Structures are given as C-alpha cells and as structure tokens.
Amino acid sequence: MMRLRREADRIRVSGPRGVDFPVAGPTRTCVGCRERAPARKLVRFVATGSGDDLRLLPDPNRRLPGRGAYLHPDPACFALAERRRAFGRALRLSGVVDTGPLAEHLRTVSVPCGNDR
Ligand SMILES: [Zn+2]
C-alpha cells in the first residue's frame, strides 16, 4: 500500500518515545508522560456526565463531541496521569471522575513499551 510506504519514509523511530522525529500529521501531548506523539498513536478520550457522575470515555474514532485529551495506549501513562490528576486538569473537570471505562479500553489496546510499530 502506498500509504504504508510513505509513512515508513517519513517517520524515524530510532530514538526513545517522544523524541522530536519528523512525522506526518498532527501531534498531541500525552497527559500521562507529557510527551508529544503523533495523534494517531494516542488514544483520545472525553469526559461525559456532569456533577459527581463524571466518567472518562475512550474515543477511538475521534467522533465524540466535547473537550478531548490524549494518552498513550500504555498503562504506565494511565497510572501517571491518574497519580497527577492530569485527567481532571486536561479536561477542566472538577470533582471525582470515573476512569474505569478508559482503563478498560487501555487494557485491550495497550502495547508493550518499546514496541513501537
Ligand atoms: Zn504517555
């Protein structure tokens, strides 16, 4: 496929994650490790609900409305974000937010660190 070949030409994945390598397309910042990455390598999520019934919803198709934030599909980044309360800050939430649905999603899509396809 043409698309694959072009990406292989343009993306250099020689260094550790987050190194400023040339990429095609937009980049986003992971709310966990705060590194920038191509948006398509990150999981978008949004907050739904209101008041004290807030939860984080993964948005793999990037279609959900509202303010979104991005996270590596990596449990380590999730844990970091949770510890620093980065979810609430990134999405401008006040109060407790249920991270369960997002955590569940990450378990199914996570890739081992360093295995950068
Ligand atoms: Zn990360």
Side-chain angles (χ1 to χ4, degrees):
M1 279 185 6
M2 293 299 291
R3 187 159 175 271
L4 281 177
R5 215 180 66 199
R6 203 180 66 213
E7 286 185 356
D9 286 346
R10 291 176 66 175
I11 298 178
R12 310 267 181 272
V13 279
S14 50
R17 226 170 40 186
V19 161
D20 198 14
F21 48 82
V23 293
T27 61
R28 295 286 183 271
T29 301
C30 170
V31 298
C33 62
R34 313 289 304 170
E35 286 174 2
R36 292 184 75 79
R40 63 194 166 73
K41 290 203 169 192
L42 301 174
V43 176
R44 182 180 191 262
F45 59 93
V46 299
T48 62
S50 61
D52 53 6
D53 184 26
L54 289 166
R55 74 196 59 180
L56 297 182
L57 266 193
D59 180 23
N61 299 316
R62 296 160 205 269
R63 285 208 202 111
L64 296 178
R67 189 182 176 82
Y70 292 80
L71 188 70
H72 281 117
D74 184 334
C77 290
F78 177 86
L80 259 177
E82 207 167 37
R83 206 180 323 149
R84 298 149 88 184
R85 301 171 179 279
F87 294 126
R89 229 177 314 153
L91 297 170
R92 308 260 163 90
L93 305 171
S94 53
V96 179
V97 60
D98 178 8
T99 58
L102 179 61
E104 190 62 36
H105 177 74
L106 286 178
R107 264 196 291 277
T108 66
V109 299
S110 65
V111 291
C113 200
N115 182 15
D116 199 347
R117 298 182 276 140

